[in-house]
Amino acid sequence: MGNVALKGIDTDTKPGHRSRAIAASLDDLGLDETSKAGRDVTLPRAGGEGRHPSQRILFVTPEIADFVKVGGLGDVSSALPRALAAHHDIRILIPAYREVLNSALNVRRVGRLPAHAALPACELGEMTCADGMVIYVLLCPELYEREGGPYGTGPGGYGSGGWEDNDIRFARLSLAAAQIAAGQAGLDWQPQLLHLNDWTCGLAPAYLEWMGRQVPSVFTIHNLAYQGLFDRSRCTALGIPESAFHIEGIEYYGRLSFMKAGIVYASHVTTVSATYAQEITTPEFGCGLEGLLCCKAQQGRLSGIPNGIDDSWDPRTDAHLVQAFSANDWRGKRANADYVRHRFGLAPSAGPLFAMVSRMVHQKGVDLVIDAAPSIVQAGGQLVFIGSGERRVEQQLDRLAERYPGAVATYIGFDEYEARCIYAGSDFLLMPSRFEPCGLSQMYAQRFGSLPIAHRTGGLADTIEDGVTGFLFEGANLANFMRAIQQAFSVYHSTELFYAMRRAAMTGRYHWRQSIAPYTQLYRRICNEAGVEVRQAG
């Protein structure tokens, strides 16, 4: 078949640098299975030559995929500490949500944390995972044992669906981290460094400052758009000194900001991609904090360290898939595509299968996909959506599926099994995000031979090689998105080139091993600056 014209798009359009896929030689793209070994960055394990400094690190997070997950932070919190554990004594702190307590792991009470202002006293439990990872759980039934998500009952628990006492709930988590670091928990283990994640942990370095404790900390911004903003009147209840409420402290346009507290008081701020680290210093992406972040960057205290994926994302061994496959055997991928079509009520088709695996919110550009859907269907493509989010968006997706039965399918909710099969069965993953700090979906899709079509922003720009492992477009608008989709259709019908791009995507994965060295260097640097002795592992 020749190129398939999409409604409203000139098939003769040549989108500049995006046409690299059409011009690239197949030899340049035809990477074999063995090439992936050269793309992963590995470090020697603790001990022997190349020994690495080993710190005691407390990794603090509001979610972890082992028990409760809302988005990418849950995956990061499960995988990154495990990757670092070969080189550091790292332990995790999370709230004791109902899902955590209902897990098969035994919780052993090991400490007690004193009250502060309106933040209640609570106990500290300890769980040990099968792989040896130690997880501390913050036992406070009145704050954490509830029906709903980690943040509330709404889509992802944000906005109007968030718990009304989220300021208390996550100030308590932050305070717990500070108290453990200050040696006030009664544990036989005390961290030398805190690694804190997003606004929910933002007060931890501030509490340490107000205690007069000099414990170094890394504060990672996963999404600057969610800042943890509360009324100034809440300062007293949270034990925040009045002297801290000013423009160089926690004050943000007359309100208190947990996110700003983390940025101001942490030893170092990281984001989850190099491009996003630069973007958030600009008014377009800085959410009103770009000035502060520019200062951090100028001080050498802002950097981007990309996320990765773990070994479970391997189409040759993933037990979630209907049939395994590799970059040289597409029968298994076709079997997964057949399953997805059957499972979601799509008609048998020889055309491309497009997927969107995402939170269904404005940030993710779902509206652009909805607007592009009629042209995709008209050109012979099919779409499957999986995820949940804003109710208005969910309703639009349901109406789209009703309008195009057999060509568009929607699954409101999330299921890990189905999501992995969709990655494995789809030909293209749609990610027209308006901004994307890192993104994991594009990495999952690439590993499973699904080529991402994405807005050139944040981590998408850093992890997709345009025309080689996927397609990037400039500007989050429908016209540019449609041009990238047109290019994807053209490549799909150029079979050899399509398979070559698939192989390139599958062998060029980003692994958590690539994050170990930069995090280790960062930990060592800020510990040295704080005068914390770092022992050699082994």
Side-chain angles (χ1 to χ4, degrees):
M1 292 180 64
N3 290 353
V4 179
L6 297 189
K7 185 177 180 180
I9 297 297
D10 181 358
T11 58
D12 292 329
T13 298
K14 293 180 175 59
H17 63 271
R18 289 208 315 275
S19 63
R20 179 177 175 185
I22 306 300
S25 74
L26 295 178
D27 289 341
D28 289 341
L29 293 177
L31 303 173
D32 61 30
E33 277 288 292
T34 61
S35 67
K36 71 171 183 284
R39 299 209 173 188
D40 287 337
V41 176
T42 59
L43 294 174
R45 297 184 68 85
E49 291 187 10
R51 292 184 303 169
H52 291 273
S54 176
Q55 289 99 347
R56 296 188 303 275
I57 301 164
L58 183 65
F59 188 93
V60 190
T61 178
E63 58 182 272
I64 181 170
D66 300 55
F67 311 108
V68 57
K69 168 186 166 181
V70 172
L73 175 56
D75 290 323
V76 171
S77 299
S78 179
L80 177 56
R82 288 180 162 93
L84 292 167
H87 304 275
H88 302 280
D89 180 359
I90 188 165
R91 306 184 185 189
I92 299 171
L93 173 66
I94 58 171
Y97 304 118
R98 185 168 297 180
E99 296 89 342
V100 175
L101 298 178
N102 288 342
S103 72
L105 298 179
N106 179 57
V107 177
R108 183 171 64 92
R109 283 170 167 75
V110 293
R112 183 168 180 81
L113 302 170
H116 177 65
L119 307 181
C122 51
E123 291 185 294
L124 197 64
E126 180 183 300
M127 305 189 306
T128 303
C129 299
D131 59 4
M133 175 57 66
V134 174
I135 299 179
Y136 292 120
V137 294
L138 189 57
L139 298 162
C140 194
E142 65 269 32
L143 295 183
Y144 306 121
E145 292 184 43
R146 304 176 179 180
E147 290 291 342
Y151 314 108
T153 57
Y158 296 113
S160 60
W163 300 114
E164 292 183 359
D165 61 347
N166 270 346
D167 57 342
I168 294 287
R169 297 173 73 244
F170 294 113
R172 179 63 266 191
L173 176 63
S174 292
L175 180 62
Q179 290 171 329
I180 293 171
Q184 298 175 1
L187 300 178
D188 58 3
W189 181 89
Q190 186 175 352
Q192 299 167 300
L193 178 147
L194 296 180
H195 190 148
L196 310 159
N197 293 276
D198 260 353
W199 72 265
T200 52
C201 308
L203 285 182
Y207 282 129
L208 283 169
E209 175 76 16
W210 302 328
M211 291 177 186
R213 300 300 184 105
Q214 300 301 311
V215 179
S217 58
V218 172
F219 180 68
T220 298
I221 299 171
H222 296 266
N223 192 332
L224 192 62
Y226 300 111
Q227 297 192 12
L229 298 177
F230 300 95
D231 191 85
R232 174 179 184 171
S233 63
R234 300 299 297 159
C235 287
T236 300
L238 303 181
I240 297 173
E242 186 65 27
S243 60
F245 193 84
H246 55 83
I247 193 170
E248 295 182 0
I250 65 170
E251 186 269 337
Y252 177 85
Y253 296 97
R255 307 181 75 188
L256 76 91
S257 168
F258 282 38
M259 177 69 78
K260 187 180 179 186
I263 297 170
V264 167
Y265 291 103
S267 308
H268 194 94
V269 178
T270 67
T271 68
V272 288
S273 71
T275 295
Y276 191 61
Q278 186 279 324
E279 287 177 340
I280 61 176
T281 63
T282 68
E284 183 179 0
F285 297 98
C287 301
L289 293 170
E290 61 273 8
L292 172 61
L293 290 162
C294 274
C295 290
K296 284 285 182 177
Q298 291 166 2
Q299 296 166 359
R301 298 192 179 279
L302 172 64
S303 56
I305 300 176
N307 289 334
I309 61 177
D310 61 34
D311 291 326
S312 72
W313 293 92
D314 188 335
R316 298 168 301 179
T317 59
D318 193 334
H320 295 82
L321 306 187
V322 172
Q323 185 174 324
F325 63 98
S326 70
N328 298 308
D329 177 8
W330 304 119
R331 290 171 298 177
K333 187 161 179 68
R334 285 193 290 269
N336 284 281
D338 291 342
Y339 167 80
V340 170
R341 287 189 166 98
H342 176 75
R343 170 69 178 84
F344 294 98
L346 297 175
S349 173
L353 178 59
F354 294 79
M356 188 169 194
V357 183
S358 174
R359 285 187 296 114
M360 301 304 174
V361 296
H362 182 71
Q363 173 206 333
K364 300 296 185 179
V366 190
D367 56 310
L368 296 178
V369 180
I370 291 172
D371 289 343
S375 295
I376 292 174
V377 172
Q378 183 177 335
Q382 295 174 315
L383 295 97
V384 58
F385 299 85
I386 182 171
S388 62
E390 298 166 0
R391 183 57 185 153
R392 174 184 58 83
V393 176
E394 293 176 353
Q395 291 171 341
Q396 290 175 330
L397 292 174
D398 284 338
R399 288 195 294 270
L400 186 68
E402 292 171 0
R403 181 180 174 188
Y404 297 104
V408 177
T410 300
Y411 181 102
I412 301 301
F414 187 79
D415 181 277
E416 182 77 14
Y417 177 93
E418 304 293 4
R420 290 196 180 222
C421 287
I422 289 172
Y423 286 124
S426 61
D427 298 298
F428 302 102
L429 182 78
L430 300 174
M431 291 191 72
S433 303
R434 289 178 165 82
F435 64 92
E436 193 65 65
C438 180
L440 293 174
S441 292
Q442 79 278 12
M443 301 183 203
Y444 299 152
Q446 288 172 320
R447 186 65 180 129
F448 283 2
S450 179
L451 302 177
I453 303 173
H455 178 211
R456 187 188 293 273
T457 187
L460 302 179
D462 293 347
T463 57
I464 300 169
E465 191 172 358
D466 188 28
V468 177
T469 64
F471 306 91
L472 294 171
F473 63 93
E474 304 284 350
N477 61 67
L478 182 60
N480 291 347
F481 183 37
M482 291 289 285
R483 290 189 184 96
I485 292 172
Q486 172 64 53
Q487 187 183 10
F489 266 98
S490 297
V491 169
Y492 181 81
H493 293 295
S494 177
T495 306
E496 288 185 76
L497 179 57
F498 179 55
Y499 287 162
M501 287 187 68
R502 271 186 175 174
R503 286 193 294 272
M506 293 176 72
T507 57
R509 64 177 174 165
Y510 291 82
H511 196 282
W512 279 115
R513 285 190 291 270
Q514 295 173 314
S515 301
I516 296 173
Y519 273 121
T520 294
Q521 293 163 4
L522 175 59
Y523 294 157
R524 184 177 190 180
R525 171 190 147 190
I526 65 174
C527 281
N528 287 340
E529 289 174 350
V532 175
E533 182 180 353
V534 178
R535 66 181 176 85
Q536 293 291 326

